[in-house]
């Protein structure tokens, strides 16, 4: 499988794991130094992010991918994904958002992994 297809599959695997609250898969798709930057500017480490999914602070119900843009440069890549995401986060009600995630990725001995993500709407 070529790099772009692997990265696209990783994006889909990440969303499936978020919805299923599959912490083992989430841990595998992110590097240990992963950081998520929420659209509010709040930052979460890999552990904080996974813990928030597992304890129900972040609840994801569905994600429909609308567009993926992937640029690969050697062992680094940038993926910008646009998806319609249904979630209830930080105690709010269930809503569907047009969520854009811009990921930085690195090729490791375990394959491609996310190193950083920043969220916004589109």
């Amino acid at each position: 499988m070529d790099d772009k297809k692997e990265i696209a599959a990783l994006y889909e695997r990440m969303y499936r794991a978020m919805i299923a609250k599959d912490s083992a898969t989430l841990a595998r798709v992110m590097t240990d130094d992963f950081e998520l930057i929420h659209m509010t500017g709040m930052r979460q480490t890999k552990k904080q992010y996974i813990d928030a999914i597992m304890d129900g602070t972040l609840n994801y119900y569905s994600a429909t991918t609308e567009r993926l843009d992937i640029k690969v440069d050697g062992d680094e890549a940038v993926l910008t994904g646009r998806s319609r995401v249904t979630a209830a986060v930080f105690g709010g009600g269930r809503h569907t958002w047009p969520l854009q995630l811009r990921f930085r990725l690195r090729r490791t001995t375990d394959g491609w992994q996310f190193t950083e993500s920043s969220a916004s709407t589109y």
Side-chain angles (χ1 to χ4, degrees):
M1 185 181 310
D2 75 12
D3 289 330
K4 287 185 177 184
K5 287 181 182 176
E6 283 183 42
I7 291 168
L10 187 67
Y11 178 84
E12 297 296 334
R13 188 174 329 133
M14 177 210 59
Y15 265 120
R16 284 193 308 272
M18 289 164 54
I19 293 163
K21 295 189 181 292
D22 179 350
S23 62
T25 296
L26 288 169
R28 278 193 303 275
V29 301
M30 299 174 207
T31 59
D32 288 340
D33 61 348
F34 173 86
E35 183 176 54
L36 170 65
I37 305 162
H38 289 268
M39 61 185 85
T40 62
M42 182 182 94
R43 294 174 178 264
Q44 285 184 308
T45 65
K46 173 183 178 175
K47 181 181 181 335
Q48 290 168 331
Y49 182 54
I50 293 172
D51 286 351
I53 292 170
M54 301 312 294
D55 72 14
T57 301
L58 302 173
N59 293 293
Y60 297 97
Y61 302 104
S62 67
T64 304
T65 302
E66 293 187 338
R67 181 177 175 163
L68 291 179
D69 292 314
I70 302 168
K71 294 182 177 115
V72 177
D73 184 14
D75 288 338
E76 296 186 357
V78 174
L79 175 153
T80 302
R82 289 184 170 187
S83 298
R84 295 278 173 182
V85 178
T86 301
V89 298
F90 300 109
R94 186 173 172 158
H95 299 284
T96 301
W97 287 277
L99 186 65
Q100 177 172 286
L101 291 173
R102 184 177 185 274
F103 288 98
R104 293 189 181 279
L105 299 96
R106 179 172 51 233
R107 187 192 328 259
T108 68
T109 56
D110 295 324
W112 287 101
Q113 290 182 294
F114 298 115
T115 62
E116 181 184 271
S117 178
S118 57
S120 62
T121 55
Y122 63 96

